[in-house]
Amino acid sequence: MQTAHFVITLFNLALWDADKHHSPTRTAAWLDRRCGLFETFCLPSMMAQKGARALRAWLVFFDAATPEPVRRRIEDWRRLCPALTPLFFTADQVRGFTGTSMGRRVDFITSAIASHLTASDRLVITTNLDNDDALASDALSRIEDAAREGCVVSLTRGWQYFTAIRAVTAMTYPHNHFLSLCERAGSPLRTIESMSHRRARQHYEVIDLDGGAGWLEVVHDSNVSNELRITSRIRYRRLRGAVSLAPFGLDLSFTPAEQRRANRRLTLLFVRVALWRLRRKLFRRS
């Protein structure tokens, strides 16, 4: 059975007007910041992938109004990572994508995938990767090994890296947004982008893969939504001793002393976020 694996990254499509701090996301400064994060975290992690035998293309979706300086950077990225395939769409072409649950309009994505399929393909895997996050170097191969038609694959364990306080922590997050959907080639494709990652288990059987960290979620000031998550679905675990992000293809490490200090900063952050959420909940009830 021949498998075609596509990694999908939505870069700067005209979908969200503001980030989690209500700052605009369609400015030159925001775009430059996203390019920097992409070059620091996302791109190196895809360049470091090993054993992904079925990877057909890394489809990266850009707004058609992307300025020329950024387009030149995109060409540099393509030279570094030949799998990267940039595609450009107008706001009208992607209208309806931000629908809820299974109501997202993804024909612009499925059309792009169709152009890369062959008559011998039997299984199509689509994996979501945000443009400011990273995958472990064995993530795609692990997904391909577990893939089964009609299922979603979840790498349940990953790390979070907080850029503002330079701290990294481990987490178990089965409902994460690094999911992969496995579909029969030749059928109308939905792709992993057709649904909210929070709703995947309502629509598909999910194969949970434990083991080592499969992804790195980067938390920074200009995220649309990422943050420290305090919910019953997520378990955090402190990392101790020397810590390296080399498994994600990144040249970033912490000595044991640096990691101890980072863990203290994370504790303070957890307390601040918990108190903020409590105050917000009490305010809503009043």
Side-chain angles (χ1 to χ4, degrees):
M1 179 176 68
Q2 185 160 310
T3 300
H5 192 173
F6 298 88
V7 177
I8 299 175
T9 297
L10 308 179
F11 200 96
N12 67 328
L13 295 176
L15 299 173
W16 298 279
D17 293 325
D19 62 21
K20 63 186 177 183
H21 298 297
H22 309 294
S23 299
T25 59
R26 299 182 190 175
T27 66
W30 181 89
L31 183 55
D32 185 65
R33 171 71 166 151
R34 300 302 287 201
C35 288
L37 289 164
F38 181 81
E39 292 168 345
T40 302
F41 298 103
C42 191
L43 180 61
S45 82
M46 284 297 292
M47 292 169 57
Q49 290 301 307
K50 299 176 182 177
R53 301 174 302 278
L55 181 62
R56 189 67 54 83
W58 177 18
L59 304 177
V60 185
F61 293 85
F62 297 89
D63 186 76
T66 298
E68 188 58 33
V70 175
R71 288 175 181 259
R72 288 195 293 269
R73 291 173 83 165
I74 294 170
E75 290 306 308
D76 291 337
W77 303 338
R78 291 184 67 186
R79 285 188 283 272
L80 291 170
C81 186
L84 192 156
T85 304
L87 298 161
F88 298 85
F89 293 91
T90 66
D92 285 340
Q93 289 174 311
V94 301
R95 195 179 307 280
F97 174 80
T98 51
T100 59
S101 187
M102 298 290 281
R104 289 181 173 177
R105 176 178 170 266
V106 295
D107 57 327
F108 68 101
I109 297 175
T110 57
S111 295
I113 290 173
S115 67
H116 289 82
L117 295 178
T118 69
S120 58
D121 290 326
R122 295 293 178 266
L123 186 70
V124 175
I125 307 172
T126 50
T127 297
N128 179 71
L129 174 61
D130 288 357
N131 69 350
D132 52 356
D133 292 331
L135 290 172
S137 59
D138 65 348
L140 297 185
S141 63
R142 289 170 63 188
I143 292 165
E144 291 172 8
D145 290 343
R148 190 169 71 239
E149 182 184 323
C151 292
V152 166
V153 178
S154 172
L155 298 164
T156 61
R157 295 179 181 176
W159 289 2
Q160 268 187 325
Y161 175 61
F162 296 81
T163 61
I165 60 174
R166 200 173 182 272
V168 62
T169 186
M171 63 193 302
T172 301
Y173 183 17
H175 296 75
N176 66 76
H177 54 280
F178 299 87
L179 300 178
S180 302
L181 177 61
C182 312
E183 304 175 83
R184 179 171 57 87
S187 63
L189 296 178
R190 286 180 169 174
T191 83
I192 194 62
E193 303 300 337
S194 67
M195 75 196 92
S196 163
H197 63 93
R198 299 178 182 88
R199 303 288 181 87
R201 292 168 192 271
Q202 298 176 15
H203 302 288
Y204 293 96
E205 176 189 352
V206 176
I207 301 171
D208 287 322
L209 300 183
D210 292 327
W215 41 265
L216 178 74
E217 180 182 63
V218 181
V219 183
H220 54 86
D221 288 344
S222 57
N223 283 125
V224 172
S225 62
N226 292 351
E227 59 181 346
L228 182 69
R229 294 176 169 87
I230 305 175
T231 76
S232 59
R233 292 178 171 181
I234 298 173
R235 298 194 307 275
Y236 280 100
R237 177 177 59 84
R238 287 188 176 188
L239 297 170
R240 303 182 187 279
V243 174
S244 172
L245 299 189
F248 306 95
L250 309 178
D251 184 18
L252 182 62
S253 60
F254 300 83
T255 65
E258 289 173 330
Q259 187 59 31
R260 286 194 296 271
R261 290 192 291 271
N263 284 334
R264 288 195 289 270
R265 293 193 291 269
L266 282 168
T267 298
L268 293 174
L269 176 63
F270 185 93
V271 171
R272 288 200 300 270
V273 171
L275 289 174
W276 173 77
R277 290 189 173 183
L278 178 61
R279 287 196 298 268
R280 185 176 63 172
K281 184 178 293 186
L282 293 173
F283 177 78
R284 287 177 177 175
R285 289 179 178 177
S286 62

PDB file of all heavy atoms in Angstrom, residues 114-140:
ATOM      1  N   ALA A 114      -4.328  17.061  -4.081  1.00  0.00           N
ATOM      2  CA  ALA A 114      -4.666  16.254  -5.259  1.00  0.00           C
ATOM      3  C   ALA A 114      -3.607  16.363  -6.348  1.00  0.00           C
ATOM      4  O   ALA A 114      -3.334  15.384  -7.060  1.00  0.00           O
ATOM      5  CB  ALA A 114      -6.030  16.684  -5.798  1.00  0.00           C
ATOM      6  N   SER A 115      -2.991  17.519  -6.467  1.00  0.00           N
ATOM      7  CA  SER A 115      -1.990  17.716  -7.521  1.00  0.00           C
ATOM      8  C   SER A 115      -0.711  16.926  -7.253  1.00  0.00           C
ATOM      9  O   SER A 115       0.139  16.802  -8.140  1.00  0.00           O
ATOM     10  CB  SER A 115      -1.670  19.206  -7.662  1.00  0.00           C
ATOM     11  OG  SER A 115      -1.009  19.695  -6.504  1.00  0.00           O
ATOM     12  N   HIS A 116      -0.556  16.398  -6.022  1.00  0.00           N
ATOM     13  CA  HIS A 116       0.649  15.642  -5.670  1.00  0.00           C
ATOM     14  C   HIS A 116       0.384  14.140  -5.566  1.00  0.00           C
ATOM     15  O   HIS A 116       1.306  13.383  -5.252  1.00  0.00           O
ATOM     16  CB  HIS A 116       1.200  16.130  -4.325  1.00  0.00           C
ATOM     17  CG  HIS A 116       1.824  17.491  -4.387  1.00  0.00           C
ATOM     18  ND1 HIS A 116       1.093  18.649  -4.326  1.00  0.00           N
ATOM     19  CD2 HIS A 116       3.120  17.878  -4.515  1.00  0.00           C
ATOM     20  CE1 HIS A 116       1.912  19.696  -4.396  1.00  0.00           C
ATOM     21  NE2 HIS A 116       3.139  19.249  -4.512  1.00  0.00           N
ATOM     22  N   LEU A 117      -0.842  13.694  -5.819  1.00  0.00           N
ATOM     23  CA  LEU A 117      -1.176  12.278  -5.683  1.00  0.00           C
ATOM     24  C   LEU A 117      -0.961  11.536  -6.995  1.00  0.00           C
ATOM     25  O   LEU A 117      -1.035  12.120  -8.080  1.00  0.00           O
ATOM     26  CB  LEU A 117      -2.623  12.122  -5.218  1.00  0.00           C
ATOM     27  CG  LEU A 117      -2.962  12.659  -3.827  1.00  0.00           C
ATOM     28  CD1 LEU A 117      -4.444  12.468  -3.523  1.00  0.00           C
ATOM     29  CD2 LEU A 117      -2.105  11.981  -2.757  1.00  0.00           C
ATOM     30  N   THR A 118      -0.723  10.231  -6.885  1.00  0.00           N
ATOM     31  CA  THR A 118      -0.573   9.377  -8.053  1.00  0.00           C
ATOM     32  C   THR A 118      -1.628   8.274  -8.006  1.00  0.00           C
ATOM     33  O   THR A 118      -2.261   8.041  -6.968  1.00  0.00           O
ATOM     34  CB  THR A 118       0.818   8.736  -8.094  1.00  0.00           C
ATOM     35  OG1 THR A 118       0.927   7.786  -7.021  1.00  0.00           O
ATOM     36  CG2 THR A 118       1.912   9.788  -7.937  1.00  0.00           C
ATOM     37  N   ALA A 119      -1.781   7.563  -9.112  1.00  0.00           N
ATOM     38  CA  ALA A 119      -2.790   6.507  -9.193  1.00  0.00           C
ATOM     39  C   ALA A 119      -2.487   5.347  -8.251  1.00  0.00           C
ATOM     40  O   ALA A 119      -3.390   4.589  -7.871  1.00  0.00           O
ATOM     41  CB  ALA A 119      -2.880   6.003 -10.627  1.00  0.00           C
ATOM     42  N   SER A 120      -1.234   5.187  -7.854  1.00  0.00           N
ATOM     43  CA  SER A 120      -0.864   4.070  -6.981  1.00  0.00           C
ATOM     44  C   SER A 120      -1.004   4.387  -5.495  1.00  0.00           C
ATOM     45  O   SER A 120      -0.814   3.498  -4.657  1.00  0.00           O
ATOM     46  CB  SER A 120       0.569   3.633  -7.273  1.00  0.00           C
ATOM     47  OG  SER A 120       1.474   4.719  -7.089  1.00  0.00           O
ATOM     48  N   ASP A 121      -1.333   5.627  -5.138  1.00  0.00           N
ATOM     49  CA  ASP A 121      -1.494   5.985  -3.728  1.00  0.00           C
ATOM     50  C   ASP A 121      -2.756   5.340  -3.162  1.00  0.00           C
ATOM     51  O   ASP A 121      -3.808   5.356  -3.797  1.00  0.00           O
ATOM     52  CB  ASP A 121      -1.571   7.503  -3.564  1.00  0.00           C
ATOM     53  CG  ASP A 121      -0.243   8.186  -3.835  1.00  0.00           C
ATOM     54  OD1 ASP A 121       0.796   7.581  -3.520  1.00  0.00           O
ATOM     55  OD2 ASP A 121      -0.251   9.307  -4.373  1.00  0.00           O
ATOM     56  N   ARG A 122      -2.631   4.786  -1.954  1.00  0.00           N
ATOM     57  CA  ARG A 122      -3.760   4.146  -1.299  1.00  0.00           C
ATOM     58  C   ARG A 122      -4.146   4.819   0.015  1.00  0.00           C
ATOM     59  O   ARG A 122      -5.278   4.708   0.462  1.00  0.00           O
ATOM     60  CB  ARG A 122      -3.441   2.665  -1.037  1.00  0.00           C
ATOM     61  CG  ARG A 122      -3.268   1.851  -2.318  1.00  0.00           C
ATOM     62  CD  ARG A 122      -4.583   1.739  -3.070  1.00  0.00           C
ATOM     63  NE  ARG A 122      -4.433   1.000  -4.318  1.00  0.00           N
ATOM     64  CZ  ARG A 122      -4.214   1.575  -5.494  1.00  0.00           C
ATOM     65  NH1 ARG A 122      -4.095   2.897  -5.585  1.00  0.00           N
ATOM     66  NH2 ARG A 122      -4.100   0.857  -6.590  1.00  0.00           N
ATOM     67  N   LEU A 123      -3.200   5.486   0.649  1.00  0.00           N
ATOM     68  CA  LEU A 123      -3.459   6.127   1.937  1.00  0.00           C
ATOM     69  C   LEU A 123      -2.873   7.529   1.920  1.00  0.00           C
ATOM     70  O   LEU A 123      -1.746   7.726   1.462  1.00  0.00           O
ATOM     71  CB  LEU A 123      -2.823   5.317   3.078  1.00  0.00           C
ATOM     72  CG  LEU A 123      -3.136   5.781   4.510  1.00  0.00           C
ATOM     73  CD1 LEU A 123      -4.607   5.504   4.849  1.00  0.00           C
ATOM     74  CD2 LEU A 123      -2.227   5.066   5.520  1.00  0.00           C
ATOM     75  N   VAL A 124      -3.649   8.495   2.417  1.00  0.00           N
ATOM     76  CA  VAL A 124      -3.193   9.881   2.509  1.00  0.00           C
ATOM     77  C   VAL A 124      -3.159  10.277   3.981  1.00  0.00           C
ATOM     78  O   VAL A 124      -4.163  10.145   4.688  1.00  0.00           O
ATOM     79  CB  VAL A 124      -4.122  10.830   1.725  1.00  0.00           C
ATOM     80  CG1 VAL A 124      -3.685  12.290   1.934  1.00  0.00           C
ATOM     81  CG2 VAL A 124      -4.116  10.484   0.246  1.00  0.00           C
ATOM     82  N   ILE A 125      -2.013  10.756   4.428  1.00  0.00           N
ATOM     83  CA  ILE A 125      -1.863  11.264   5.798  1.00  0.00           C
ATOM     84  C   ILE A 125      -1.663  12.768   5.729  1.00  0.00           C
ATOM     85  O   ILE A 125      -0.833  13.253   4.950  1.00  0.00           O
ATOM     86  CB  ILE A 125      -0.641  10.639   6.507  1.00  0.00           C
ATOM     87  CG1 ILE A 125      -0.683   9.119   6.452  1.00  0.00           C
ATOM     88  CG2 ILE A 125      -0.551  11.123   7.954  1.00  0.00           C
ATOM     89  CD1 ILE A 125       0.599   8.464   6.959  1.00  0.00           C
ATOM     90  N   THR A 126      -2.409  13.507   6.529  1.00  0.00           N
ATOM     91  CA  THR A 126      -2.182  14.949   6.639  1.00  0.00           C
ATOM     92  C   THR A 126      -1.872  15.279   8.098  1.00  0.00           C
ATOM     93  O   THR A 126      -2.614  14.892   9.003  1.00  0.00           O
ATOM     94  CB  THR A 126      -3.404  15.757   6.165  1.00  0.00           C
ATOM     95  OG1 THR A 126      -4.603  15.262   6.786  1.00  0.00           O
ATOM     96  CG2 THR A 126      -3.549  15.665   4.656  1.00  0.00           C
ATOM     97  N   THR A 127      -0.767  15.956   8.313  1.00  0.00           N
ATOM     98  CA  THR A 127      -0.286  16.299   9.647  1.00  0.00           C
ATOM     99  C   THR A 127      -0.244  17.811   9.802  1.00  0.00           C
ATOM    100  O   THR A 127       0.305  18.512   8.943  1.00  0.00           O
ATOM    101  CB  THR A 127       1.132  15.724   9.877  1.00  0.00           C
ATOM    102  OG1 THR A 127       1.073  14.298   9.825  1.00  0.00           O
ATOM    103  CG2 THR A 127       1.703  16.165  11.215  1.00  0.00           C
ATOM    104  N   ASN A 128      -0.801  18.306  10.879  1.00  0.00           N
ATOM    105  CA  ASN A 128      -0.782  19.749  11.129  1.00  0.00           C
ATOM    106  C   ASN A 128       0.496  20.162  11.864  1.00  0.00           C
ATOM    107  O   ASN A 128       0.897  19.526  12.834  1.00  0.00           O
ATOM    108  CB  ASN A 128      -1.984  20.167  11.980  1.00  0.00           C
ATOM    109  CG  ASN A 128      -1.985  21.662  12.269  1.00  0.00           C
ATOM    110  OD1 ASN A 128      -2.227  22.471  11.393  1.00  0.00           O
ATOM    111  ND2 ASN A 128      -1.688  22.033  13.506  1.00  0.00           N
ATOM    112  N   LEU A 129       1.114  21.235  11.381  1.00  0.00           N
ATOM    113  CA  LEU A 129       2.281  21.823  12.049  1.00  0.00           C
ATOM    114  C   LEU A 129       2.171  23.328  11.953  1.00  0.00           C
ATOM    115  O   LEU A 129       2.234  23.888  10.860  1.00  0.00           O
ATOM    116  CB  LEU A 129       3.581  21.340  11.398  1.00  0.00           C
ATOM    117  CG  LEU A 129       4.873  21.994  11.899  1.00  0.00           C
ATOM    118  CD1 LEU A 129       5.074  21.735  13.385  1.00  0.00           C
ATOM    119  CD2 LEU A 129       6.074  21.528  11.092  1.00  0.00           C
ATOM    120  N   ASP A 130       1.992  23.991  13.096  1.00  0.00           N
ATOM    121  CA  ASP A 130       1.926  25.454  13.105  1.00  0.00           C
ATOM    122  C   ASP A 130       3.298  26.037  12.753  1.00  0.00           C
ATOM    123  O   ASP A 130       4.338  25.435  13.033  1.00  0.00           O
ATOM    124  CB  ASP A 130       1.472  25.968  14.468  1.00  0.00           C
ATOM    125  CG  ASP A 130      -0.009  25.696  14.715  1.00  0.00           C
ATOM    126  OD1 ASP A 130      -0.670  25.162  13.802  1.00  0.00           O
ATOM    127  OD2 ASP A 130      -0.486  25.996  15.826  1.00  0.00           O
ATOM    128  N   ASN A 131       3.291  27.250  12.203  1.00  0.00           N
ATOM    129  CA  ASN A 131       4.534  27.805  11.673  1.00  0.00           C
ATOM    130  C   ASN A 131       5.503  28.310  12.739  1.00  0.00           C
ATOM    131  O   ASN A 131       6.613  28.737  12.409  1.00  0.00           O
ATOM    132  CB  ASN A 131       4.242  28.926  10.659  1.00  0.00           C
ATOM    133  CG  ASN A 131       3.665  30.173  11.306  1.00  0.00           C
ATOM    134  OD1 ASN A 131       3.302  30.169  12.483  1.00  0.00           O
ATOM    135  ND2 ASN A 131       3.556  31.235  10.534  1.00  0.00           N
ATOM    136  N   ASP A 132       5.099  28.261  14.008  1.00  0.00           N
ATOM    137  CA  ASP A 132       5.995  28.681  15.084  1.00  0.00           C
ATOM    138  C   ASP A 132       6.311  27.529  16.037  1.00  0.00           C
ATOM    139  O   ASP A 132       6.865  27.753  17.115  1.00  0.00           O
ATOM    140  CB  ASP A 132       5.405  29.860  15.859  1.00  0.00           C
ATOM    141  CG  ASP A 132       3.973  29.605  16.333  1.00  0.00           C
ATOM    142  OD1 ASP A 132       3.408  28.541  15.987  1.00  0.00           O
ATOM    143  OD2 ASP A 132       3.410  30.469  17.018  1.00  0.00           O
ATOM    144  N   ASP A 133       5.968  26.304  15.650  1.00  0.00           N
ATOM    145  CA  ASP A 133       6.227  25.134  16.477  1.00  0.00           C
ATOM    146  C   ASP A 133       7.231  24.213  15.786  1.00  0.00           C
ATOM    147  O   ASP A 133       7.702  24.503  14.684  1.00  0.00           O
ATOM    148  CB  ASP A 133       4.925  24.376  16.760  1.00  0.00           C
ATOM    149  CG  ASP A 133       3.980  25.161  17.665  1.00  0.00           C
ATOM    150  OD1 ASP A 133       4.467  25.962  18.490  1.00  0.00           O
ATOM    151  OD2 ASP A 133       2.748  24.982  17.536  1.00  0.00           O
ATOM    152  N   ALA A 134       7.538  23.084  16.424  1.00  0.00           N
ATOM    153  CA  ALA A 134       8.534  22.155  15.877  1.00  0.00           C
ATOM    154  C   ALA A 134       8.096  20.721  16.123  1.00  0.00           C
ATOM    155  O   ALA A 134       7.362  20.429  17.067  1.00  0.00           O
ATOM    156  CB  ALA A 134       9.901  22.409  16.516  1.00  0.00           C
ATOM    157  N   LEU A 135       8.571  19.825  15.269  1.00  0.00           N
ATOM    158  CA  LEU A 135       8.357  18.393  15.428  1.00  0.00           C
ATOM    159  C   LEU A 135       9.669  17.721  15.809  1.00  0.00           C
ATOM    160  O   LEU A 135      10.744  18.141  15.364  1.00  0.00           O
ATOM    161  CB  LEU A 135       7.844  17.771  14.126  1.00  0.00           C
ATOM    162  CG  LEU A 135       6.425  18.123  13.690  1.00  0.00           C
ATOM    163  CD1 LEU A 135       6.159  17.574  12.298  1.00  0.00           C
ATOM    164  CD2 LEU A 135       5.392  17.588  14.680  1.00  0.00           C
ATOM    165  N   ALA A 136       9.583  16.663  16.597  1.00  0.00           N
ATOM    166  CA  ALA A 136      10.762  15.852  16.864  1.00  0.00           C
ATOM    167  C   ALA A 136      11.229  15.227  15.552  1.00  0.00           C
ATOM    168  O   ALA A 136      10.431  14.995  14.637  1.00  0.00           O
ATOM    169  CB  ALA A 136      10.443  14.773  17.891  1.00  0.00           C
ATOM    170  N   SER A 137      12.512  14.935  15.459  1.00  0.00           N
ATOM    171  CA  SER A 137      13.071  14.466  14.189  1.00  0.00           C
ATOM    172  C   SER A 137      12.521  13.107  13.767  1.00  0.00           C
ATOM    173  O   SER A 137      12.617  12.738  12.590  1.00  0.00           O
ATOM    174  CB  SER A 137      14.599  14.405  14.274  1.00  0.00           C
ATOM    175  OG  SER A 137      14.998  13.538  15.326  1.00  0.00           O
ATOM    176  N   ASP A 138      11.934  12.347  14.685  1.00  0.00           N
ATOM    177  CA  ASP A 138      11.336  11.059  14.332  1.00  0.00           C
ATOM    178  C   ASP A 138       9.813  11.105  14.286  1.00  0.00           C
ATOM    179  O   ASP A 138       9.160  10.058  14.139  1.00  0.00           O
ATOM    180  CB  ASP A 138      11.787   9.971  15.314  1.00  0.00           C
ATOM    181  CG  ASP A 138      11.291  10.217  16.744  1.00  0.00           C
ATOM    182  OD1 ASP A 138      10.796  11.343  17.026  1.00  0.00           O
ATOM    183  OD2 ASP A 138      11.398   9.297  17.574  1.00  0.00           O
ATOM    184  N   ALA A 139       9.229  12.289  14.395  1.00  0.00           N
ATOM    185  CA  ALA A 139       7.770  12.403  14.511  1.00  0.00           C
ATOM    186  C   ALA A 139       7.048  11.871  13.277  1.00  0.00           C
ATOM    187  O   ALA A 139       6.099  11.086  13.385  1.00  0.00           O
ATOM    188  CB  ALA A 139       7.372  13.856  14.770  1.00  0.00           C
ATOM    189  N   LEU A 140       7.471  12.285  12.098  1.00  0.00           N
ATOM    190  CA  LEU A 140       6.767  11.876  10.885  1.00  0.00           C
ATOM    191  C   LEU A 140       6.882  10.373  10.655  1.00  0.00           C
ATOM    192  O   LEU A 140       5.914   9.724  10.223  1.00  0.00           O
ATOM    193  CB  LEU A 140       7.291  12.650   9.675  1.00  0.00           C
ATOM    194  CG  LEU A 140       7.086  14.176   9.719  1.00  0.00           C
ATOM    195  CD1 LEU A 140       7.545  14.794   8.401  1.00  0.00           C
ATOM    196  CD2 LEU A 140       5.633  14.539  10.005  1.00  0.00           C
TER     197      LEU A 140
END
